[in-house]
Amino acid sequence: MNTLENSNVIVNKVEKSRLGDVDFNNLTFGNIFSDHMFECDYKDGKWQTPVIRPYGMLTISPGAKVFHYGQAVFEGMKAYKDETGDVFLFRPEKNFERINKSSKRMAIPEFPENYFFEGLHTLLNLDKDWVQPGNGNSLYLRPFAIATQVGVSASPADEYKFMILMSPVQAYYTGDVKVIIAQQYSRSANGGVGAAKAAGNYGAQFYPTNLAKEKGYDQVIWTDADEHKYLEEAGTMNVFFRINDTLITAPTSDRILDGVTRNSVLKLAERDGIKTDVRKLTVDELVAAAKDGSLKEIFGSGTAAVISPVSSFCYDETDYDLVKPGDSYATRFKKELMDIQYNRAEDPFGWRVKVK
Ligand SMILES: Cc1ncc(COP(=O)(O)O)c(C=O)c1O
């Protein structure tokens, strides 16, 4: 094994890349990982020297707290390649800030900024051939932190592992999504962990989402836990509603994830002169708008699919169909975002970060 060292990260390179074994035209989202991974342990009250090493198994005690109390957080971001072969990240500081916000909420020590960015850039440099060119192709990046300390007492761990994995993905085309509005189950509650990317938030959605799938829906749109009255967000997406020509989305709160794509859509809409309204929207208003024809579009926003247009929603056993308008905002924002991500358009907001 080849060992190099730079200022913060120790790098152990693979002897032989697995790149040649991968069929990049037939990828399933997120189940193949690139040659290298980033790993950093927390012990004795501090994060130790990070290591980049060949992707491989971990040895963790079954008594580690992550398995018993779900003390775990994660992020989802992507690296994109332009036509000249340069690799870019999209607003990565937002994901860094968010994982530390999630960690704080889950009593996990925050991760140092220089380790995070040096780790990301070094990993991406090593595995840049895993970022395939072409619209929609990208390398999905999965930073995460888990409690590794052994002990089944219900208290925060004092040992953790922070890792970054990278997985090549193709355009995540969801098709037009059919959604059902939650009337029984809830994703998050006031004062809870909805605004954190805590692993358990996602596991808790699987059962109600499976029930929705059995009925023929792709996703649940979550509503507030108290009254199921206000529309909040979907599985791994924030949600936008276009009523007449105004784009409405829920305000972020301790129940809703502050999505990077959501924030970017709002900024693009402002730039493009599209009226935005960040406010609580009730299910009753949505149903009334669907009935009187003023509801023009619903779409989800998130890193994985960028923008997912919703083709119908179900509420109280009734389906409401949506016909995509000619001047679809979903299509417009998807193109505008991807043109910035793939370095095909000006970047007036300074969102693109070139991998050094
Ligand atoms: C619950 C939830 N909402 C919204 C989003 C969209 O966030 P982003 O645009 O940062 O990917 C995600 C994905 O990270 C999510 O998990």
Side-chain angles (χ1 to χ4, degrees):
M1 212 175 272
N2 218 340
T3 302
L4 348 147
E5 241 177 80
N6 58 24
S7 54
N8 282 316
V9 187
I10 297 171
V11 180
N12 297 318
K13 286 208 224 168
V14 290
E15 272 161 18
K16 186 176 176 300
S17 171
R18 285 179 286 107
L19 202 53
D21 305 335
V22 180
D23 179 358
F24 283 97
N25 295 318
N26 286 299
L27 298 169
T28 308
F29 191 90
N31 62 357
I32 289 179
F33 295 95
S34 72
D35 284 329
H36 298 92
M37 64 184 188
F38 173 91
E39 190 174 354
C40 184
D41 289 327
Y42 181 91
K43 60 178 182 209
D44 303 329
K46 67 179 175 73
W47 291 101
Q48 307 292 312
T49 304
V51 177
I52 286 177
R53 65 175 175 93
Y55 173 82
M57 298 296 164
L58 299 177
T59 305
I60 296 185
S61 162
K65 292 199 179 204
V66 63
F67 299 129
H68 305 275
Y69 304 114
Q71 208 188 354
V73 296
F74 71 101
E75 263 308 319
M77 49 204 295
K78 281 178 173 173
Y80 312 86
K81 192 169 260 181
D82 75 2
E83 279 172 5
T84 70
D86 285 333
V87 175
F88 296 90
L89 294 163
F90 182 72
R91 309 188 76 184
E93 70 290 348
K94 288 259 172 218
N95 300 91
F96 171 71
E97 285 160 15
R98 195 167 66 188
I99 199 165
N100 274 345
K101 194 175 151 206
S102 301
S103 287
K104 191 168 177 198
R105 180 62 184 83
M106 294 300 290
I108 296 173
E110 291 175 33
F111 198 64
E113 187 169 3
N114 58 333
Y115 283 12
F116 182 83
F117 284 103
E118 198 166 327
L120 258 188
H121 283 267
T122 312
L123 258 187
L124 281 165
N125 252 306
L126 280 171
D127 288 351
K128 59 176 167 296
D129 292 344
W130 288 79
V131 196
Q132 293 289 296
N135 199 33
N137 294 332
S138 62
L139 198 56
Y140 182 79
L141 313 174
R142 170 50 60 90
F144 65 101
I146 53 170
T148 48
Q149 190 207 345
V150 177
V152 292
S153 68
S155 58
D158 53 23
E159 288 178 9
Y160 296 88
K161 195 179 276 297
F162 189 104
M163 301 194 68
I164 306 175
L165 307 179
M166 309 202 296
S167 173
V169 295
Q170 290 172 280
Y172 190 90
Y173 181 66
T174 50
D176 282 2
V177 179
K178 287 178 72 176
V179 299
I180 182 164
I181 294 176
Q183 292 185 265
Q184 181 187 358
Y185 293 97
S186 303
R187 175 185 176 273
S188 62
N190 288 338
V193 292
K197 271 185 92 78
N201 278 345
Y202 297 81
Q205 293 182 78
F206 294 163
Y207 176 67
T209 306
N210 279 348
L211 296 181
K213 286 190 171 148
E214 279 167 19
K215 289 173 137 186
Y217 301 100
D218 305 298
Q219 285 273 351
V220 177
I221 292 197
W222 300 105
T223 47
D224 65 291
D226 285 344
E227 300 176 274
H228 296 293
K229 187 173 163 190
Y230 298 103
L231 296 151
E232 302 217 310
E233 62 177 329
T236 55
M237 293 188 296
N238 296 106
V239 189
F240 285 86
F241 304 89
R242 173 181 176 188
I243 296 183
N244 291 316
D245 286 337
T246 302
L247 199 55
I248 304 169
T249 194
T252 52
S253 68
D254 56 4
R255 296 192 305 267
I256 297 182
L257 196 84
D258 187 358
V260 179
T261 321
R262 171 189 177 280
N263 179 282
S264 309
V265 166
L266 287 172
K267 292 212 153 46
L268 287 170
E270 268 167 43
R271 179 197 69 177
D272 295 354
I274 290 172
K275 191 161 175 255
T276 57
D277 198 358
V278 177
R279 68 167 172 98
K280 290 177 165 188
L281 180 70
T282 64
V283 181
D284 288 349
E285 275 182 89
L286 180 72
V287 169
K291 285 184 178 159
D292 72 17
S294 56
L295 176 67
K296 300 223 182 120
E297 285 181 89
I298 303 177
F299 60 85
S301 71
T303 298
V306 192
I307 301 289
S308 292
V310 168
S311 58
S312 76
F313 73 90
C314 174
Y315 182 67
D316 257 349
E317 310 287 320
T318 306
D319 286 308
Y320 299 86
D321 291 328
L322 287 156
V323 180
K324 205 186 227 181
D327 65 341
S328 158
Y329 287 178
T331 308
R332 173 191 192 122
F333 292 125
K334 184 163 189 172
K335 180 173 186 319
E336 288 184 355
L337 280 169
M338 290 180 75
D339 282 350
I340 295 178
Q341 289 165 340
Y342 287 85
N343 192 23
R344 293 188 296 246
E346 287 293 303
D347 178 22
F349 304 99
W351 287 340
R352 258 190 321 254
V353 174
K354 190 169 164 177
V355 172
K356 297 179 284 258

